[in-house]
Amino acid sequence: MKKPLIVLMLGLCLTVTGVSFAKTQANKDSYSVLFEEIVGIVERHFYDPDKIANAFPAIHATYRAQFKNESTRNGFSRLVNKMLGELNASHTYYLTPDDYEYYQLGALFWKIPQINAVFKGREVVYPTVGIISQTIEGRPYVVSVLAGSAAEQAGLLKGDEILSVNGEPYTPIASIRQSVGRDAAFKIRRSEQSEPFTVLMRPTLANPTQEMLEAQKASIRIIERQQKRIGYIHIWSYAGEEYHTELHNALVWGKLKDADALIIDIRYGLGGAWPYYLNIFNRNIPALKMRERNGSESVVDSQWRKPAVYLVNGFSRSGKELLAFGAKKYHLATVLGERTAGHTLGGRLFPLSNGDMLYLAVQSCRIDGVDLEGVGVAPNIEVPFDVRHCAGHDVQLEKALDHLVEQLEAKQLPVR
């Protein structure tokens, strides 16, 4: 009586195995096509034609053989990025909907019809709790908490290690995609020896451009240090005039107007700044004093004329590096922290046939004749910082505060 059942089960196993094999083969075939699509874009648009002619043929030939055995999206993405990494160029990587920058760059380039089509004409949004994470030696850490975010309100700190989300290993987008609108349980370790604890946060869908602008506004504050008022603002993205406009408004009309000194934090996030943004330090533009009939006076000064610091690290990139370069070269502000990324090529976003995207360097860049690609900007004052398990204690920010206080006190000393 049991033989027919055994035969039926064997037949079912063979059928499932056949379907699985067919699906795997279909994935391999589609990834082979996608690989050739990516190679074609790189060959036509990469900024360095000599590297494409002399080095890229051997590179993509080597990886073409490896792709024949790849049938998963994550595996394909890793191999593509490994191949692109051999070009040794910034602004060159493969992006899937599980990557932060898929949405951040998608929102930035949204007005381009081909990019708009990827998002079906809708506003670009992604699931977020307002953190930037980094994997260091195989372990994910919070390296920046956006001001005003769900993460800040829940008490998450820079340096926190993310052990899991809802009991599963953490990945930036996939871990919270299914939890939008309801609590997600983040298991956190704050210090190497401490017991893990759970933080509940409710992810929301946000436009990344607007999210970073709102965080910038929320970051503005005055820090009291030895009777000095130090203004602080964190600019996570400089990819748009609106970010610089917000800085300028804060300096001229807002909370930073009456500060004694200024810290502009440009660590982490996106670049995009233009060198002319350094005009805020131009002392050759006059201030305007106005007097009312009743004798009251007000001053409108569009320039920052007091001590200032740019906070930078290895994740200050692209246009932010141009600001650091100019501030250092022309003594406009003190650059403090760690050497910047050296990522100064011009990138363009290319949509792919499977809905993923390729970010590719299409322009070289020099500032005052200097090529910062692969080099970056060394700070005036170097302050190394291992963010892991720092429990929110920011040694670079602390050094910036001390430095500005010293500058202010030195100015008050009597001249002999």
Side-chain angles (χ1 to χ4, degrees), residues 181-195:
R182 56 189 177 87
D183 287 342
F186 281 67
K187 191 174 183 180
I188 299 297
R189 180 183 286 126
R190 184 143 289 167
S191 67
E192 191 68 59
Q193 305 303 323
S194 66
E195 287 296 316

Side-chain angles (χ1 to χ4, degrees), residues 142-281:
V142 176
V143 294
S144 189
V145 179
L146 271 62
S149 66
E152 184 184 64
Q153 293 168 18
L156 221 61
L157 296 178
K158 177 183 299 187
D160 285 348
E161 182 183 356
I162 307 174
L163 301 176
S164 66
V165 178
N166 295 330
E168 300 292 334
Y170 168 78
T171 54
I173 299 295
S175 287
I176 60 176
R177 182 180 282 124
Q178 301 305 318
S179 297
V180 172
R182 56 189 177 87
D183 287 342
F186 281 67
K187 191 174 183 180
I188 299 297
R189 180 183 286 126
R190 184 143 289 167
S191 67
E192 191 68 59
Q193 305 303 323
S194 66
E195 287 296 316
F197 59 94
T198 298
V199 175
L200 296 179
M201 291 183 284
R202 184 162 295 186
T204 59
L205 290 176
N207 179 296
T209 299
Q210 192 62 30
E211 178 190 37
M212 285 187 275
L213 181 60
E214 292 302 319
Q216 177 180 325
K217 293 177 183 178
S219 76
I220 299 171
R221 66 187 191 273
I222 298 294
I223 303 172
E224 301 281 351
R225 180 64 61 95
Q226 297 182 31
Q227 289 78 53
K228 310 299 181 187
R229 292 167 50 83
I230 312 297
Y232 174 88
I233 183 171
H234 195 144
I235 304 177
W236 280 276
S237 173
Y238 238 134
E241 291 277 353
E242 61 267 37
Y243 301 103
H244 188 67
T245 298
E246 183 58 40
L247 167 64
H248 191 254
N249 287 342
L251 296 177
V252 178
W253 313 105
K255 292 181 182 179
L256 302 178
K257 180 177 184 294
D258 296 319
D260 300 313
L262 175 66
I263 296 172
I264 304 175
D265 192 340
I266 53 175
R267 298 172 297 177
Y268 300 105
L270 301 178
W274 293 101
Y276 68 81
Y277 291 171
L278 291 168
N279 265 324
I280 60 172
F281 302 112

Side-chain angles (χ1 to χ4, degrees), residues 59 63 66 77-87:
I59 292 173
Y63 282 89
Q66 296 181 46
S77 176
R78 281 193 296 271
L79 273 177
V80 171
N81 278 316
K82 190 176 178 182
M83 177 183 75
L84 295 173
E86 297 206 27
L87 291 171

Side-chain angles (χ1 to χ4, degrees), residues 272-325:
W274 293 101
Y276 68 81
Y277 291 171
L278 291 168
N279 265 324
I280 60 172
F281 302 112
N282 184 353
R283 291 176 170 83
N284 294 323
I285 295 176
L288 179 66
K289 179 181 282 189
M290 294 178 289
R291 183 181 179 89
E292 302 290 342
R293 179 175 176 173
N294 63 7
S296 63
E297 294 181 340
S298 60
V299 176
V300 178
D301 191 351
S302 61
Q303 306 308 110
W304 184 260
R305 305 174 194 271
K306 306 168 191 176
V309 162
Y310 273 119
L311 272 184
V312 300
N313 66 5
F315 295 88
S316 303
R317 54 182 173 155
S318 193
K320 289 178 177 178
E321 299 184 77
L322 307 184
L323 298 183
F325 175 90

Side-chain angles (χ1 to χ4, degrees), residues 10 104 116 141 209 244 325 339 376 379 396:
L10 180 59
Q104 293 170 344
N116 186 290
Y141 294 86
T209 299
H244 188 67
F325 175 90
R339 184 180 289 272
Q396 292 172 341

